[in-house]
Amino acid sequence: NEMAVYYIAFNVKKAPFDDPLVRQAMAMAIDFDNINKVLYFDSQRVAKGILPPEMPGFDKSITGYKYDPQKAKDLLSQSRYAKNMPRIVLTYGGGSGDAPDSLTAMQSAWKDVLGIQVDLQASDYSAYLRELRRGTFQMFDAGWIADYPDPEDFLDKLFSSDSLQNEQGYQNNDVDALLKQARSESDKEKRFDLYHQAERKILDDAAIIPTFWPVIHTLVKPCVKNYPQTSMTVPKYRYIEIDPNAR
């Protein structure tokens, strides 16, 4: 299990995602459990929140919006864009060829449940990273892998309004205050509680739609001993041994 999260991000400064009701509706329109079952044969983990289960301070009670097509329709009908939805483009990093199956499944769900057409747009990865930093995209497919095992590396880096990695332009004064307080809190439990409060607010705002906590599947022969399995960083292979008698 990788200490990472994949997600769909909304540029909250661009229409229609400056309305949280639109973001919430789109989050509730997708059945990720079914996507995992049909496309990935249940080989992945549906992300219920932002922080992955391997993260210190993980709280399984924290969840985002659950699949609820009727509620999604109701929320969209209450939004400012119910009658005048602009064109929506979801950009992803990649070259030529078809869009990833997971994105086309989401595209179909948004069309079927909400009647919203989302166009999928591939971008060369170097251009994708450049425009991501510029805040050009309206909606984009992204992911984050832990640099170090601490909630700060996810919540502060991705959602603090003063962070360069906050590429969706998200800003919530309450979240900023919680993250700032957590930076200097020395008590571990109090610090984790501050991050729990911040994660709940971020998910309530539907700043992103968490999709999957990725799982890496590796086939290892029986003769290979001490193969390292780590949730983050590059594994070290110095202790691997080959047993010539194993079958």
Side-chain angles (χ1 to χ4, degrees), residues 195-210:
Y195 284 124
H196 295 160
Q197 294 180 57
E199 185 177 11
R200 286 190 181 95
K201 289 180 181 293
I202 294 164
L203 290 169
D204 287 347
D205 284 342
I208 65 169
I209 305 176

Side-chain angles (χ1 to χ4, degrees), residues 124-193:
D124 175 76
Y125 202 67
S126 60
Y128 173 83
L129 293 177
R130 182 185 67 244
E131 297 306 315
L132 203 59
R133 296 290 186 267
R134 293 177 176 175
T136 304
F137 300 137
Q138 181 188 28
M139 185 182 187
F140 54 93
D141 179 41
W144 188 259
I145 301 174
D147 300 293
Y148 44 91
D150 190 274
E152 186 270 346
D153 186 44
F154 279 62
L155 302 179
D156 211 321
K157 290 289 188 294
L158 297 177
F159 302 103
S160 175
S161 62
D162 61 2
S163 172
L164 294 177
Q165 280 74 43
N166 182 354
E167 290 147 347
Q168 55 274 358
Y170 174 73
Q171 182 173 6
N172 179 312
N173 292 337
D174 292 336
V175 170
D176 279 344
L178 289 166
L179 295 176
K180 184 177 180 180
Q181 186 179 349
R183 292 172 191 171
S184 58
E185 177 56 63
S186 59
D187 183 281
K188 183 177 69 173
E189 295 307 318
K190 290 181 180 179
R191 187 166 175 272
F192 284 159
D193 181 64

Side-chain angles (χ1 to χ4, degrees), residues 1-4 45 52-56 145-147 149 154 214 216 228-235:
N1 297 335
E2 194 171 7
M3 196 182 296
R45 300 176 298 170
E54 295 75 28
M55 178 64 67
I145 301 174
D147 300 293
F154 279 62
I216 298 175
Q229 295 185 1
T230 61
S231 59
M232 63 168 289
T233 72
V234 177

